Amino acid sequence: MEAYVGYFLYFLSLLTVGGIYSIFALGLNVNWGFAGLFNVGIVGFAAVGAYTYALLTTAESTYHIGGFGLPLPFGMFAAMMTSAVIAGFIGLICIRLRADYLAIATIGIAEIIKLILKNETEITNGPRGINKIPRAWEHFSEERFYTSWPMSWFGTLENWEAFFDTLPNWYWQPLFAGTILLVMYVIYRMLERARTSPWGRMMTAIRENEPAARAAGKDVTRRRIEAFIIGAAIMGLAGSLFAQHLRLIEPTNTFDPSKVTFLVWVMLIVGGSGNNRGAMLGAFLIWTLWSASELFITGAIDLIGNIFSTLDPSILQTRAGFLRMMLIGILMQVILQRYPGGILPEVRPASPKADKNIAGTTGESK
C-alpha cells in the first residue's frame, strides 16, 4: 500500500511542477507566440513574483524585511502586480529594440534583479534566502493560521491539532496540485479568448509584419508593451506558485536560468509556439522527461563506472546536470526535425467576418 501511495504522490508532484511550468510557458507564449517578443529574462520575473509572495506571506522574521503574514491570495495577486509594474517600466525603455537586442536586454535585466536580491541582505536575507514560505492548503496546519482569524472562529487550538492529527501528512498534495491545475486552466481560457479576439489578431499581424501593421494605423509600441506586461504578470504568478512548491527560495540556485528560462523556452518550442495548448503540452512533456532523465543519467553513470573500472564516476556525477541539459537539447532537435512548428503548431484565429463570408458562400448557417 505504501508503494502505491508513493507512486500517487510522485504523480501529483509531476502534475504540480508541470502545472507551474505550464503557467510559465503560457506567459512566454503571450510574449513570443502572440507578439514575437524575444524575452530571455523569464527567471527575473519569476524571482520578482516569488520574493514578493514570500515577503508578504511569511511570518515575522529578523532575517529579512516583511514577514507580514498576509493572506496567500493577496500575496499571489501582489506577485502578479509587482512583475507587471516592473515589466511596464522595462517595456517603456526596451520594447522598441529588435528581437536579438531585446533578448540581450532581458538577460541583463534578469541578472540585475538576481544581483539585487542577492546583495540586499536586509530586505531579502541575501544568499541565505527565505524559508518557511506558506504553501496553499498545507498552511492551514500551521499554528499561526489556525490560531488566528478566520480559522479560530471554527475551533480552538486543541480542536485543530486533533483534527490535523487525523489526516495523513500529505493531505495537502492533491489539493495543491488541483489548485495549480485550476489556475492554469483559468489562465488558458482567458488567453484563448484573447487570442481569438480582435486584440489577438492584431498581435498576430504585428508579429508577422510590423511595418504593415503600423501603416494600417495600429499602435504597435503600445500593443507590444501590453503583451510584455501580461506575459510578465503571468510569470510572476507562476513564480509565487514556484515559491510555494519549494518553500525555500534563494537567488542563485532556485533561479538558475538553465532551470527556468532554458526549460521554459524548450517547453514552448517543442509544444508549439503561438498555441496555448501546445505550451501546456510541451511543459508537461518536457518536465516529465527532465525528471526521468535524472534516473537515466544516474543509471548510465553507474553502468559506465562498472564497465570502465579505471574511471572515477564522481567526475561524471558532478556533470550530471549538464548531461541532462544536453539530453533535453538533443530531444528538442529530434522533435523539431519531425515537427518544425512544434507538436501542436499554431492555428491562426479566423476573423468573424471571414466566417460569415464562408458560411454565406457555402450556404451553411449557425
Side-chain angles (χ1 to χ4, degrees):
M1 184 62 184
E2 290 183 0
Y4 290 112
V5 172
Y7 291 135
F8 176 62
L9 295 180
Y10 181 70
F11 176 69
L12 288 178
S13 175
L14 285 179
L15 285 181
T16 300
V17 184
I20 293 172
Y21 273 106
S22 293
I23 297 172
F24 275 126
L26 287 171
L28 180 62
N29 197 36
V30 176
N31 285 171
W32 176 250
F34 285 16
L37 299 172
F38 197 179
N39 181 4
V40 196
I42 300 168
V43 71
F45 296 114
V48 168
Y51 270 87
T52 302
Y53 174 83
L55 292 173
L56 291 177
T57 59
T58 50
E60 186 176 357
S61 172
T62 57
Y63 298 108
H64 57 80
I65 197 172
F68 298 106
L70 295 175
L72 275 56
F74 181 83
M76 295 166 66
F77 178 75
M80 287 181 65
M81 291 298 103
T82 307
S83 295
V85 169
I86 292 177
F89 180 71
I90 295 170
L92 289 174
I93 300 171
C94 303
I95 209 69
R96 292 179 182 83
L97 297 175
R98 299 298 92 194
D100 44 357
Y101 294 107
L102 180 62
I104 295 169
T106 51
I107 289 175
I109 291 165
E111 289 302 312
I112 291 170
I113 291 172
K114 285 180 62 179
L115 287 173
I116 292 173
L117 295 174
K118 188 175 181 179
N119 291 288
E120 294 296 330
T121 53
E122 294 183 357
I123 300 175
T124 65
N125 200 25
R128 291 184 293 276
I130 301 175
N131 61 6
K132 297 182 180 179
I133 299 171
R135 182 190 284 142
W137 298 103
E138 187 186 21
H139 73 288
F140 288 127
S141 59
E142 295 182 23
E143 184 176 341
R144 71 182 174 103
F145 284 97
Y146 61 68
T147 56
S148 59
W149 176 87
M151 291 183 70
S152 60
W153 289 0
F154 301 97
T156 62
L157 183 146
E158 292 77 14
N159 295 142
W160 283 115
E161 285 181 343
F163 173 71
F164 287 115
D165 286 342
T166 62
L167 300 178
N169 57 6
W170 49 267
Y171 80 91
W172 54 271
Q173 278 193 259
L175 299 170
F176 186 55
T179 301
I180 288 175
L181 295 179
L182 177 63
V183 171
M184 179 194 73
Y185 179 73
V186 170
I187 293 173
Y188 161 72
R189 294 297 303 175
M190 293 174 70
L191 292 184
E192 274 296 289
R193 194 173 182 85
R195 186 183 69 86
T196 56
S197 69
W199 183 86
R201 293 194 293 275
M202 181 171 56
M203 296 309 299
T204 303
I206 292 172
R207 183 195 66 193
E208 295 296 319
N209 195 331
E210 184 179 322
R214 199 182 296 277
K218 305 302 180 186
D219 191 343
V220 173
T221 301
R222 179 177 176 178
R223 301 308 172 198
R224 284 163 63 93
I225 292 176
E226 287 175 357
F228 194 65
I229 291 174
I230 293 171
I234 295 172
M235 292 173 195
L237 175 62
S240 70
L241 295 171
F242 200 47
Q244 292 184 51
H245 170 68
L246 296 175
R247 300 208 66 194
L248 166 63
I249 57 173
E250 48 79 35
T252 305
N253 292 320
T254 305
F255 300 105
D256 182 353
S258 64
K259 294 177 184 174
V260 181
T261 302
F262 171 73
L263 275 185
V264 175
W265 266 103
V266 172
M267 290 166 177
L268 181 63
I269 298 301
V270 167
S273 175
N275 189 326
N276 291 316
R277 293 183 183 181
M280 295 189 294
L281 172 66
F284 281 106
L285 176 64
I286 295 299
W287 177 250
T288 303
L289 293 174
W290 177 262
S291 301
S293 68
E294 183 176 8
L295 302 175
F296 176 78
I297 293 292
T298 303
I301 291 174
D302 292 340
L303 180 63
I304 291 173
N306 292 330
I307 294 175
F308 303 99
S309 57
T310 56
L311 181 66
D312 183 6
S314 63
I315 298 174
L316 292 175
Q317 287 170 355
T318 58
R319 292 167 172 76
F322 301 106
L323 292 173
R324 293 174 72 189
M325 291 180 63
M326 185 182 72
L327 195 66
I328 293 297
I330 293 172
L331 176 69
M332 185 177 72
Q333 293 294 327
V334 171
I335 291 177
L336 290 182
Q337 290 290 326
R338 179 69 177 84
Y339 305 101
I343 298 173
L344 294 177
E346 179 184 11
V347 178
R348 297 291 181 86
S351 167
K353 292 182 179 179
D355 287 344
K356 289 180 181 177
N357 292 336
I358 292 171
T361 304
T362 59
E364 295 178 354
S365 60
K366 294 183 179 180

